[in-house]
């Protein structure tokens, strides 16, 4: 039986919540809410890009103070999000959107892009394309909040990411992680098998390779300024303290004072 090589976050959507079960999404949402309250306490509308299976959006929705539209390019990830949201009664609007070309007639108070999604953009030209797309759904008081991880982060965690297991709904997987330091590239390879109910016979096999570019603080700062953003803040990890060149994860808070 041959492997199917899929676009990222297609077959991985089937096991994503399982492999991310150690992530404290509630804490992450609380941090984002704290950032919003610090910089734009009047904000009501949120557009989340690359929302994955929607966990941060769901916890933000529980605060009952935001009108949330959560989007992702992967219909498979959105299917997982909708299934949970429908069961639990969340009021989030789910849309398929490509952050390189956001299609919307609306503007939003807050645009979010979390989960290292920016690290999946490998070239400066593509970063600038994404920035311009985001600016089209911003108004003069909007904020764009995104995070990214650095090479230091990958160096510290990559050998802890190797993993294998079987999910409750009979998917067996193996994840291998490694770094190409000369390219500042962090690579995760996933081998996924769909098993029968007895977990003996392999019904299908899938393979996904995820490549993330590790950016440094000063590098990203120059890119956002080139795009016309003003940096309101850059935070270290999940705290309201200033990021430094030694930070592993950086959350940037951007305004765009000169919108066309």
């Amino acid at each position: 039986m041959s492997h199917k090589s899929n676009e990222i976050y297609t077959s991985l959507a089937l096991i994503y919540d399982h492999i991310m079960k150690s992530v404290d999404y509630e804490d992450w949402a609380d941090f984002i809410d704290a950032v919003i309250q610090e910089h734009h306490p009047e904000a009501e509308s949120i557009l989340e890009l690359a929302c994955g299976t929607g966990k941060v959006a769901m916890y933000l929705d529980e605060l009952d103070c935001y009108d949330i539209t959560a989007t992702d390019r992967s219909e498979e990830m959105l299917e997982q999000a909708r299934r949970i949201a429908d069961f639990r009664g969340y009021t989030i609007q789910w849309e398929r959107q490509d952050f390189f070309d956001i299609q919307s007639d609306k503007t939003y108070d807050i645009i979010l892009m979390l989960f290292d999604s920016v690290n999946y953009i490998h070239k400066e030209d593509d970063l600038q394309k994404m920035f311009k797309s985001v600016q089209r759904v911003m108004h003069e008081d909007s904020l764009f909040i995104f995070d990214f991880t650095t090479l230091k982060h990958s160096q510290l965690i990559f050998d802890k990411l190797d993993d294998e297991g079987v999910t409750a709904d009979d998917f067996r997987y193996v994840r291998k992680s490694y770094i190409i330091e000369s390219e500042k590239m962090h690579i995760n390879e996933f081998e996924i098998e769909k098993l029968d109910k007895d977990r003996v016979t392999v019904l299908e096999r899938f393979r996904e390779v995820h490549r993330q570019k590790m950016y440094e603080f000063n590098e990203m700062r120059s890119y956002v300024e080139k795009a016309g953003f003003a940096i309101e803040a850059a935070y270290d990890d999940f705290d309201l303290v200033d990021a430094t060149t030694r930070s592993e994860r950086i959350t940037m808070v951007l305004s765009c004072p000169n919108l066309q």
Side-chain angles (χ1 to χ4, degrees), residues 216-244:
E216 300 307 319
F217 185 22
N218 290 336
E219 179 184 22
M220 185 60 74
R221 182 159 48 191
S222 70
Y223 292 152
V224 300
E225 290 174 345
K226 181 178 178 179
F229 288 107
I231 301 173
E232 302 296 327
Y235 292 121
D236 185 346
D237 203 25
F238 298 111
D239 294 307
L240 295 180
V241 298
D242 290 341
T244 72

Side-chain angles (χ1 to χ4, degrees), residues 55-77:
K55 295 298 190 297
V56 167
M58 292 176 195
Y59 280 113
L60 287 173
D61 192 57
E62 290 180 1
L63 299 176
D64 201 27
C65 59
Y66 299 118
D67 178 12
I68 303 171
T69 301
T71 73
D72 202 279
R73 180 179 176 179
S74 168
E75 185 59 40
E76 289 80 3
M77 295 289 271

Side-chain angles (χ1 to χ4, degrees), residues 87-105:
F87 179 75
R88 297 182 179 174
Y90 291 107
T91 60
I92 300 160
Q93 180 174 343
W94 306 96
E95 294 181 3
R96 188 179 185 199
Q97 291 276 6
D98 183 340
F99 53 61
F100 288 120
D101 185 22
I102 303 167
Q103 299 294 314
S104 177
D105 295 328

Side-chain angles (χ1 to χ4, degrees), residues 135 138-140 142-143 227-230 232 254-259:
Q135 288 169 353
M138 295 178 72
H139 54 71
E140 60 182 7
S142 299
L143 294 178
F229 288 107
E232 302 296 327
L254 310 179
S255 62
C256 196
N258 301 309
L259 285 173

Side-chain angles (χ1 to χ4, degrees), residues 106-123:
K106 298 167 58 178
T107 58
Y108 298 84
D109 299 329
I110 303 293
I111 296 90
L112 298 177
M113 190 168 171
L114 308 174
F115 307 106
D116 320 333
S117 299
V118 166
N119 293 100
Y120 280 90
I121 304 174
H122 301 163
K123 299 178 181 179

